[in-house]
């Protein structure tokens, strides 16, 4: 990734980074927690695949991540605020609307964007999420403790340690991520799923215990479809060929 290619826009008083490439139908890609646009979408081949399919690919670094501003208060990381960032990016680019795909945290943001901004997003793909999103008890404590621990070797919770290692690999601000995680693990506004009027594809890996079953979440959204990526967990689903093929088929049809 060439450093000079990053561009910036303003949203909610924050300076946020994005990268756009390709020509054609615009699609916004919202990456997962502790990731960046480069790690989630370029390194996995997603950006190339979408450009080859005729899309203009618009990839922000979500607030708190990558080259975007990183506030340290949980109140700055509500799903609604991050959904509004995506709308501000469309406004900045002069795009009246776009398709939208999010992974994990980005999928939560995408679903909220579909609830709150139905006139700005066309087709929506929510990947790396499933039935677990409907669970009102999603304790953020172990991951927050792992992110703030002085020594990552002291983290005993395997799932929390995975997030800590991923954050360190990506050179992230761990205090900002802890605030972000507290906010995104608040109860998801599941009552709004029934109001979504856009075409939605929900994708989750067959062995993704963090997400749970894609079909159970898709069943809560009118007309949505679920797709299960065979033999993949949360970290390995994102670059999987079957995931790409399912999304490209959905976008074609």
């Amino acid at each position: 990734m060439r450093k000079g290619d990053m561009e910036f826009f303003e949203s909610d008083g924050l300076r946020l980074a994005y990268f756009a490439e390709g020509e054609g139908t615009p699609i916004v890609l919202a990456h997962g927690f502790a990731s960046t646009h480069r790690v989630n979408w370029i390194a996995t081949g997603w950006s190339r695949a979408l450009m080859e399919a005729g899309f203009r690919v618009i990839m922000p670094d979500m607030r708190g991540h990558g080259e975007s501003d990183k506030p340290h208060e949980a109140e700055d990381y509500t799903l609604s605020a991050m959904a509004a960032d995506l709308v501000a990016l469309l406004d900045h680019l002069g795009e009246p609307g776009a398709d939208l795909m999010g992974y994990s945290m980005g999928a939560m943001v995408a679903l909220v964007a579909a609830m709150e901004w139905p006139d700005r997003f066309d087709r929506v793909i929510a990947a790396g999420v499933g039935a677990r999103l409907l669970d009102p008890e999603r304790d953020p404590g172990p991951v927050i403790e792992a992110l703030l621990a002085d020594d990552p070797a002291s983290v005993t919770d395997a799932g929390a340690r995975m997030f800590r290692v991923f954050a360190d690999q990506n050179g992230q601000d761990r205090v900002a991520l802890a605030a972000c995680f507290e906010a995104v693990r608040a109860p998801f506004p599941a009552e709004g799923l029934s109001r979504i009027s856009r075409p939605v594809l929900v994708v989750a890996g067959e062995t993704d215990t963090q997400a749970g079953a894609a079909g159970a979440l898709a069943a809560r959204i009118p007309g949505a479809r679920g797709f299960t990526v065979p033999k993949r967990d949360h970290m390995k689903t994102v670059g999987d060929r079957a995931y790409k093929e399912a999304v490209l088929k959905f976008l074609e049809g």
Side-chain angles (χ1 to χ4, degrees):
M1 182 65 194
R2 300 181 299 279
K3 188 86 168 180
D5 285 336
M6 296 301 292
E7 298 184 75
F8 295 88
F9 68 105
E10 298 287 330
S11 178
D12 192 27
L14 299 175
R15 184 173 185 260
L16 304 180
Y18 74 97
F19 180 70
E21 59 182 348
E23 301 291 337
T25 302
I27 184 167
V28 176
L29 306 183
H31 64 71
F33 177 76
S35 191
T36 65
H37 82 281
R38 181 176 58 82
V39 171
N40 212 146
W41 304 120
I42 295 179
T44 57
W46 262 112
S47 181
R48 182 179 65 253
L50 288 165
M51 285 192 295
E52 290 174 353
F55 288 87
R56 182 188 185 201
V57 186
I58 302 165
M59 300 168 283
D61 277 348
M62 306 294 278
R63 58 171 65 193
H65 296 74
E67 294 188 40
S68 290
D69 280 352
K70 302 170 181 65
H72 284 181
E73 301 298 327
E75 64 192 28
D76 291 313
Y77 293 99
T78 66
L79 297 175
S80 289
M82 290 192 279
D85 291 342
L86 303 183
V87 175
L89 177 53
L90 290 182
D91 289 344
H92 171 77
L93 294 170
E95 294 284 3
D99 294 321
L100 174 60
M101 178 163 64
Y103 195 83
S104 195
M105 178 190 78
M108 301 178 209
V109 175
L111 290 172
V112 169
M115 296 175 196
E116 298 182 355
W117 303 90
D119 58 329
R120 302 303 299 273
F121 298 103
D122 301 325
R123 297 163 295 190
V124 176
I125 301 104
V129 289
R132 291 288 301 277
L133 192 60
L134 306 173
D135 184 354
E137 301 297 330
R138 300 189 300 148
D139 180 16
V143 172
I144 291 174
E145 292 172 8
L147 288 167
L148 298 179
D150 291 332
D151 181 6
S154 69
V155 179
T156 58
D157 183 295
R161 185 169 60 248
M162 178 191 71
F163 280 114
R164 169 59 186 266
V165 170
F166 192 54
D168 287 344
Q169 286 175 345
N170 295 328
Q172 302 280 21
D173 180 330
R174 292 186 286 106
V175 176
L177 290 187
C180 178
F181 199 79
E182 179 182 347
V184 301
R185 278 301 175 106
F188 184 79
E191 69 283 351
L193 294 171
S194 64
R195 301 196 307 270
I196 293 177
S197 58
R198 313 309 304 169
V200 175
L201 177 68
V202 179
V203 179
E206 183 180 18
T207 63
D208 187 346
T209 57
Q210 293 186 56
L217 178 58
R220 298 286 295 271
I221 304 168
R225 285 183 269 165
F227 178 80
T228 301
V229 181
K231 302 179 182 179
R232 295 300 189 193
D233 62 16
H234 195 69
M235 299 301 284
K236 292 183 178 178
T237 293
V238 66
D240 188 85
R241 180 184 297 176
Y243 168 28
K244 291 189 179 81
E245 290 173 351
V247 168
L248 292 173
K249 184 177 179 181
F250 173 72
L251 292 172
E252 287 173 3

